[in-house]
Amino acid sequence: MEDQDVLPIVHSDEDLMVVVKPSGLLAVPGRGADRQDCVVARVRALRPGCIEQPAVHRLDMDTSGLMVLALTAQTHRALSRQFHDRETEKRYIALLDGELAGHEGTIELPFRLDVKNRPRQIYDPIHGKVGITHWKKLAIENGQTRVEFWPVTGRTHQLRLHAASIYGLGIPIVGDRLYGIGNGQGRLCLHACLLRFTHPCSGERLEFYSEPPF
């Protein structure tokens, strides 16, 4: 995990903050005293007057990249509505652990929580809820494939499952310890590189980009 004092800030004003979450850091507090260090805790330390739960959306612990956090209740409600109504745009860069034959497409897979192996998600065409992801191959690099993902839905582990499943791309993301052959946290090659949303107070359409660290 990154140093506890490190939380790169790419935008900050009276209403919201946009930060780059390091891989290996929780987005929100977990259960237990040893799982309290997270993006939310660090933002609250930086901005003590902000609301108790500023997170508007989440990233998996092993995923790095851009997150927006609301500092006021009004901003939180407005941003949450934008995410719910799919008025935001998120893009990710990933490295797949193999060479992908296709060039671009859309994945639509029903999946659900594997209750016997939490937090793993599993393909389930009967009881699962559909996740939708657009993807585009960017390059082949030393036997691995660099891919851009832009999810339509935002379900837990959606990109990781869509990459690894034989019903998706069939190649897990490099370093994925749940769906691939990764063997430790903080090594997943999945980065939230682009985030677009409308500022709830100014009405300005904002766009932020973060270069992947891999």
Side-chain angles (χ1 to χ4, degrees):
M1 186 186 298
E2 301 286 340
D3 185 274
Q4 291 196 5
D5 294 329
V6 175
L7 187 63
I9 299 170
V10 296
H11 176 84
S12 180
D13 60 38
E14 294 181 354
D15 306 296
L16 57 87
M17 289 180 67
V18 178
V19 304
V20 179
K21 187 186 87 65
S23 178
L25 179 68
L26 289 166
V28 299
R31 295 181 180 179
D34 61 335
R35 294 174 64 84
Q36 296 307 297
D37 182 34
C38 60
V39 172
V40 163
R42 296 187 189 189
V43 167
R44 292 185 66 195
L46 290 168
R47 302 291 291 271
C50 81
I51 56 177
E52 183 176 355
Q53 179 50 275
V56 178
H57 63 120
R58 302 182 184 186
L59 296 176
D60 295 343
M61 181 172 68
D62 291 351
T63 303
S64 59
L66 293 165
M67 283 185 63
V68 57
L69 298 104
L71 303 180
T72 70
Q74 179 182 358
T75 300
H76 193 281
R77 285 192 298 269
L79 286 175
S80 296
R81 183 196 59 77
Q82 287 186 46
F83 275 89
H84 179 269
D85 294 345
R86 300 179 183 174
E87 296 174 358
T88 61
E89 183 178 349
K90 296 178 289 181
R91 299 211 178 195
Y92 296 73
I93 297 295
L95 273 182
L96 305 186
D97 204 6
E99 296 191 8
L100 183 63
H103 294 282
E104 60 183 329
T106 299
I107 303 166
E108 297 188 34
L109 285 186
F111 61 97
R112 62 168 174 81
L113 175 68
D114 182 354
V115 295
K116 296 182 180 179
N117 190 18
R118 297 171 183 266
R120 202 173 190 275
Q121 308 289 314
I122 55 174
Y123 172 75
D124 186 338
I126 298 175
H127 302 292
K129 294 183 179 179
V130 173
I132 305 171
T133 304
H134 303 303
W135 64 273
K136 181 178 182 179
K137 181 168 71 176
L138 300 178
I140 300 293
E141 304 171 2
N142 300 316
Q144 299 172 336
T145 307
R146 184 170 294 266
V147 174
E148 181 181 29
F149 288 122
W150 52 104
V152 177
T153 54
R155 304 198 50 229
T156 300
H157 294 181
Q158 177 173 313
L159 301 182
R160 299 167 71 175
L161 180 72
H162 280 185
S165 174
I166 61 172
Y167 302 104
L169 299 182
I171 306 175
I173 296 172
V174 171
D176 196 329
R177 57 198 174 106
L178 286 178
Y179 305 95
I181 58 173
N183 57 9
Q185 70 181 40
R187 301 175 186 175
L188 182 70
C189 289
L190 177 63
H191 186 77
C193 64
L194 184 142
L195 179 62
R196 292 190 183 107
F197 61 89
T198 300
H199 195 292
C201 298
S202 70
E204 181 183 2
R205 189 67 175 173
L206 301 178
E207 176 179 317
F208 302 97
Y209 183 79
S210 172
E211 193 71 28
F214 48 81

